[in-house]
Amino acid sequence: MPVRAAEERVDDFKEVACGFSLEDALHECARCLECPNPACVAGCPVGIDIPGFIVKMEEKDYRGAYDILSDSNLLPAICGRVCPQENQCEGVCPVGETLEPVAIGRLERWLGDEAIKNNWNTLPHIEPVRHKVGVVGSGPAGLACAADLAKAGCDVTIYEALHKPGGVLRYGIPEFRLPNDVVDAEIANITRLGVTIECNTLVGRLFTIEQMRDEMGFDAVFIGTGAGAPNFMNIPGETLNGVLSANEMLTRCNLMMAGKFPDFDTPMHMGRQVAVIGAGNTAMDAMRVALRIGAEKVHCVYRRTEAESPARLEELHHAQEEGIEFHWLTAPVEILDDGAGNVRAMRCLRMELGEPDDSGRRRPVPIEGSEFEFETDMVVYAIGTKANPILGQTSKLGLNKWGYIDANETLATSIAGVYAGGDIVTGAATVILAMGAGRRAARSIKTYLGIRDSEAKYRSEQVGCAGTLFGIDLGERNFSPIRLAG
Amino acid sequence: MSDFQIIDRQDFSDTTFLLEVCHPAMARAARPGQFVIALVDEHGERIPLTIADFDRDKGTITLVVQAVGKTTRQMQQTCQTGSALYGLVGPMGAPSHVADVGKVVCVGGGLGVAPVFPQARAFKENGAYVIGVVGFRSKDLIFWEDKFRSCCDELIICTDDGSAGIKGLVTDGLKSAIEHHEDVDEVVAIGPPVMMKACAETTRPHGIRTMVSLNPIMVDGTGMCGGCRVRVGGEMKFACVDGPDFDGHTVDFDDLMNRLRRFTEDERAAMERWNENCKRLEQAGQTTGTV
């Protein structure tokens, strides 16, 4: 896919990847083998009918293609941009065995963008059921869950603590990867289904999960609050001015628009020599934001090597193109004071790779006597996140030993009717895995509420089986009222 | 989106003013020691403000604001009765632990006078003997004396110029309270960091448990940014979710005060721009005669 030249893009927040033209898209569609048992669908965490929408595109029925796509994913323009397709649909595409796999992500983005441009929205017929469902958090997990439940007829309200919806899509992912306009447009798809989004609402403190269920009339609750609490290293000098989490930098810049200070009130005082610790996707985002906000030089400091970097290859390449300097096998042990409470430098150790650790990656081991000073005036931590403590502090939800919510395979928590999914259950992962979890929880909630799973196929062989009536489970309590013609 | 209507405003001085904001759910949920994050408009910053009072029957919360920076001065101009805030979220932070104590001193100085009130009231409701110590620059700037008298068994007012109460700082008032009462179980001190530090030092030799409420720079207030991290007892804590109340004898106040200077330059730039804009608007108003 065409991208803007590095020297042109490093000064602004406009999108780096330009997207397919119609010709590119059709050319790509023609490469699809339309496998009878498509591996890509199984490889997609939300189960998009990928060959289905590609066939429609080849027939030049773009609207029809979007309808198939948006049936499983109402955020295609977002997912087309931020999904790690190389590990999912594209990773299992048989074309990829000999050639480049079909660029499914880019096709998805193209369709999503067309839908936004042409104001396509596919409103399914929704038959209201009596149930009210509350969703905590308006990130990818919450949005996906809310969409499925709204389609099933539930009255869904999403609660968001920040003043704008989207969660990590809003505060975390920078505009040059995911423009806010795209986030707004696709969230509008969800509200069009009848979902209410209440911002400025901190669940746990304004009301508890138990109150939602017992006092506010919610029949079920889904928790998708993400893993937002930033990790620090616990080394000396961490509270000096000039040390911050990538979360803080990204929130200031993406949600609060600090890049436009003083037109916007939130400042993001940028250092000259910025050192970002970590080499995951968040680190790449933080480094590239730092460059765009005015850092002279941005360094990536990582204790392992490029091969172990958890970032997507594409992000790593973009960062390299933009002039980020990478310092592999380097670990900070202390942050040094300039005498006035600001960062002057870091004391670092050189590392070498030893035996593989639990994660299967070779463990970095310090080289004795390799200590050196690394000159920097801003240190940004992008070394992962942990569970936010608020819901644990304010409810009786069962947590695991790391503070994440304990959920079983149906994503049910220890409180009846309360489900959880996404990063708050698994620890930090991807947007699309969170959406997959949201959809899975929506299915469980439908079962819990006794709502017919609209995806379940009617099977005539079930007629007459014990426990069913006309093939429908007798446990279902929500037959849609029959509407009489005329 | 919800409307956070300002239903009352009172000005206590040329910098300090009170806003009573309609938010029935928050009025129900709020407990002493908690705070909110407010946004003036869509371009605004998220600023933390301690909840100074809440009225469950009226469905309102009360904030007392001191106009010291760009945003708070803007609030002083724009937040009038009948207007609304763009964003308001809370109650945030862990509520204060209002212990079952016999005798407590509640100290409020500067911006801390208002937030210490709900704590004093909660202690009183818990059956404690409450001594209030509140500090102002001079007699004219005193506010809420009646509210404090209604929940304090004793009230010591301190003024810098001696125009009311005792002449001196709140630490002088605190010292006098400790001298007259040997059986003080707990001290709550809220105000600027330097004042809370001085209060903690005053009580340290007496071994009286001293709780302080920290207000570092933060963005989201939900434990997500880590901007509000403070050193307490050698450990790093997030004031927004682990606090804002901490044991004053273990807080590293110097670290806190250094971190509050993080954005000094930007704050100055924002202030200058705001003042210039105000001046320009004023001049424009004068030439067209529509002030």
Side-chain angles (χ1 to χ4, degrees), chain B residues 165-179:
Chain B
I166 62 171
K167 181 177 188 312
L169 302 170
V170 285
T171 41
D172 298 314
L174 175 60
K175 269 182 212 144
S176 133
I178 296 173
E179 272 163 26

Side-chain angles (χ1 to χ4, degrees), chain A residues 14 17 30 33 41 57 72 80 126 207 230 248 325 339 385 460 464 480:
Chain A
K14 287 190 218 127
L33 299 178
V41 179
M57 281 183 74
S72 357
I126 295 175
F207 45 80
E248 179 174 356
E325 203 169 296
T385 53
S460 57
S480 295

